Amino acid sequence: MDKIAVLIPCYNEEKTIGKVIRDAKAALPEATIYVYNNNSKDRTAEIAAEAGAVVRNEYMQGKGNVIRRMFREIDALVYVMVDGDDTYPMESAREMVDMVLNRNADMVVGDRLSSTYYQENKRPFHNFGNNLVRGSINKLFGCNIRDIMTGFRAFSYEFVKTFPVLSKGFEIETEMTIHAVYNNMQIENVVIDYRDRPEGSVSKLNTYSDGFKVLRTIMRLYRSYKPFWFFLMIAIVLALVSIGFFIPILQEYWTTHLVPKIPTLIVCCFIMLSAVQAFFAGVILSTMAIGDRRQFEMQLNMLQRHKENDYNG
């Protein structure tokens, strides 16, 4: 087991990967640096190996697939994940590592949005997207995370080994954040300076398609982690629709003592029945989610003992 592992997922980053590795060595000289090459078509893997990193390959395309491979294969007391595009200052890595090792943090977020991100980033819609995602997650999950989409983070062993990676692409950062929030893990924040990509380095993030995937991931995880409130909202909408169609029928019945719109009344009944079913589905799934939380806490206890035995033995 490594004490510190620096994880760098890469796809076509030959212009910047060498500098990122050199900066990581300067900031964390005792760390083992891993570069996971994700089907790069340039000299990314070659340059990373020359710079002294351990180079491995992930052949399934997508950042989420790379991180799944990293977390599965590497054991360390603390993990530092950083993008290979040289947009994050490694000088902040030591502070982030200390928070994991000495302050029991499970995830440390490198917060770009509180410093230079809006000045350095040249893509205005990315700014809007970051604010939308941050506001949505903080509202839905009752938290106050300052930067959801940052690619610069530090993790504890317990976080990495309990994080179920379901996403394939750039929505992975959203999934990480929600996993930590929902499971009441300790999240710390370090404000970092952000610099835009150097000339000739191209972002792999598609503003619209990846943005849609992130929003879809938020709703999927909200349904999984907070099923009662998710299905309660569906039940309320269905109930309001049913009542809205039923009121004119009821008013006409009071006036004429006749129900001329029998099909509409039947539809109202079925919609209200669906609302009731949605409510009880939320209750049942919420009870199951509580059971999952209990199992998660037991898994954390087992991982803690496993980590101590591996590192000390």
Side-chain angles (χ1 to χ4, degrees):
M1 177 181 284
D2 300 318
K3 181 178 181 181
I4 304 172
V6 177
L7 311 181
I8 310 176
C10 276
Y11 174 63
N12 291 343
E13 300 289 4
E14 66 176 4
K15 293 186 178 296
T16 54
I17 185 60
K19 182 177 184 301
V20 173
I21 294 171
R22 291 190 296 272
D23 290 349
K25 285 184 174 182
L28 301 168
E30 73 274 38
T32 304
I33 300 173
Y34 297 90
V35 170
Y36 273 69
N37 177 41
N38 192 207
N39 301 315
S40 295
K41 298 175 176 62
D42 59 9
R43 297 181 61 247
T44 295
E46 181 182 343
I47 294 173
E50 291 173 353
V54 178
V55 179
R56 297 178 180 176
N57 292 292
E58 170 54 51
Y59 298 102
M60 295 176 63
Q61 196 66 40
K63 188 175 183 180
N65 291 323
V66 178
I67 291 174
R68 180 188 298 108
R69 179 72 60 185
M70 288 175 163
F71 285 3
R72 184 183 301 165
E73 293 182 349
I74 298 171
D75 291 335
L77 287 183
V78 56
Y79 302 76
V80 177
M81 186 183 75
V82 64
D83 291 341
D85 56 9
D86 193 32
T87 57
Y88 300 100
M90 288 302 298
E91 293 80 8
S92 302
R94 176 61 64 185
E95 181 182 359
M96 298 168 74
V97 166
D98 288 342
M99 285 187 172
V100 175
L101 292 178
N102 302 320
R103 294 183 56 183
N104 300 322
D106 289 296
M107 182 173 72
V108 183
V109 175
D111 175 16
R112 312 159 297 166
L113 303 186
S114 299
S115 61
T116 58
Y117 181 79
Y118 295 109
Q119 291 76 38
E120 289 288 324
N121 182 46
K122 305 301 189 298
R123 294 153 294 185
F125 199 79
H126 283 203
N127 299 339
F128 170 77
N130 272 289
N131 290 332
L132 176 62
V133 171
R134 178 175 61 176
S136 299
I137 290 179
N138 286 337
K139 185 69 174 178
L140 290 173
F141 290 89
C143 57
N144 185 26
I145 307 299
R146 299 178 189 174
D147 192 349
I148 305 296
M149 304 295 293
T150 179
F152 190 21
R153 301 170 188 247
F155 308 104
S156 67
Y157 176 83
E158 289 80 5
F159 178 94
V160 166
K161 297 305 179 182
T162 60
F163 175 50
V165 182
L166 302 178
S167 301
K168 298 178 182 179
F170 286 99
E171 62 271 28
I172 186 68
E173 283 94 355
T174 302
E175 194 172 6
M176 287 176 176
T177 303
I178 294 175
H179 173 76
V181 169
Y182 174 74
N183 288 296
N184 197 31
M185 290 183 155
Q186 183 175 333
I187 304 172
E188 298 290 346
N189 189 80
V190 172
V191 177
I192 62 171
D193 290 329
Y194 176 87
R195 49 183 178 251
D196 204 6
R197 283 175 172 268
E199 186 177 353
S201 178
V202 180
S203 174
K204 317 307 183 298
L205 178 66
N206 185 293
T207 302
Y208 302 102
S209 64
D210 287 316
F212 175 76
K213 290 177 183 177
V214 168
L215 295 177
R216 186 176 62 186
T217 297
I218 293 173
M219 294 312 300
R220 172 175 59 82
L221 294 176
Y222 187 72
R223 181 193 63 198
S224 300
Y225 290 150
K226 297 205 176 262
F228 176 77
W229 296 107
F230 180 84
F231 285 98
L232 178 62
M233 288 189 292
I234 294 177
I236 291 173
V237 171
L238 291 174
L240 290 175
V241 170
S242 177
I243 293 170
F245 281 104
F246 179 71
I247 288 176
I249 298 174
L250 185 61
Q251 288 175 336
E252 190 167 352
Y253 176 76
W254 281 342
T255 303
T256 65
H257 297 288
L258 297 173
V259 184
K261 299 179 180 179
I262 296 295
T264 303
L265 179 61
I266 294 174
V267 170
C268 289
C269 292
F270 276 109
I271 294 176
M272 184 60 73
L273 181 60
S274 299
V276 173
Q277 289 176 328
F279 173 79
F280 282 105
V283 171
I284 294 170
L285 292 174
S286 180
T287 303
M288 295 172 63
I290 293 173
D292 291 340
R293 287 287 300 276
R294 292 194 183 101
Q295 291 183 356
F296 178 82
E297 292 298 326
M298 294 174 64
Q299 185 181 6
L300 277 181
N301 294 335
M302 294 174 62
L303 277 172
Q304 180 69 31
R305 292 193 294 269
H306 178 72
K307 178 183 73 173
E308 292 172 356
N309 292 336
D310 276 4
Y311 191 71
N312 297 327

